Each structure stands twice: as C-alpha cells, then as structure tokens.
Amino acid sequence: MPTASTYDYALIRVVPHVERGEFINVGVVLFCRTQRFLASRIELDEPRLRALAPDLQLDAVRRQLDLIPQLCAG
C-alpha cells in the first residue's frame, strides 16, 4: 500500500483592479515535498476576464501566466 503524503497548494488569481476586490482564479500550484512533486495548471477564461476588465492587456497577462508552469518544471 502506498504511503500517504501531504500536498500543499496555492491558487493563482488575476486581480485586474485591486480597489474593486474582483478576481478570477486561473490556476493552481501543487507541491509535495515527500514525493518531490511540483506542478501547476493554468486555464485563463479570457471572455470572463475581459468582462471584468475590458482595458486589460490579455497578451501581457498570458505571457506572465505561461511562466508559472515553466518555473515549476525547473
């Protein structure tokens, strides 16, 4: 039987306007020290984000979000 391991996670959010308190969850980072596991998944709902912030530069947001899985992969 495999041994149980604890995992930690962090949600990744895009917050277009901090003063309005609105955000969209766009991903998660999952970490397990005992299994030596670190990975992330990103899924940006562009129409939903555009509805919150039509002036937001989605290309810049996408470029930043694309870095997270690369960092996790080492």
Side-chain angles (χ1 to χ4, degrees), residues 4 10 13 18 20 23 26 30 45-46 49 51 53 59 64 68 73-74:
R13 294 178 170 171
V18 176
R20 289 175 33 190
F23 62 86
V26 296
L30 188 61
D45 186 349
E46 291 183 9
L49 185 55
D59 290 339
Q64 295 298 310
I68 297 170

Side-chain angles (χ1 to χ4, degrees), residues 1-69:
M1 178 179 222
T3 39
S5 299
T6 60
Y7 286 82
D8 294 310
Y9 69 93
L11 293 177
I12 302 166
R13 294 178 170 171
V14 174
V15 184
H17 301 286
V18 176
E19 65 278 3
R20 289 175 33 190
E22 299 172 334
F23 62 86
I24 294 178
N25 292 332
V26 296
V28 64
V29 176
L30 188 61
F31 172 67
C32 179
R33 184 179 307 274
T34 58
Q35 299 294 320
R36 300 179 53 86
F37 179 84
L38 176 64
S40 65
R41 296 291 182 264
I42 306 293
E43 185 64 40
L44 180 60
D45 186 349
E46 291 183 9
R48 187 170 171 210
L49 185 55
R50 192 167 298 286
L52 279 181
D55 59 329
L56 192 64
Q57 295 177 352
L58 289 179
D59 290 339
V61 172
R62 173 58 72 189
R63 281 194 307 271
Q64 295 298 310
L65 291 174
D66 286 344
L67 292 175
I68 297 170

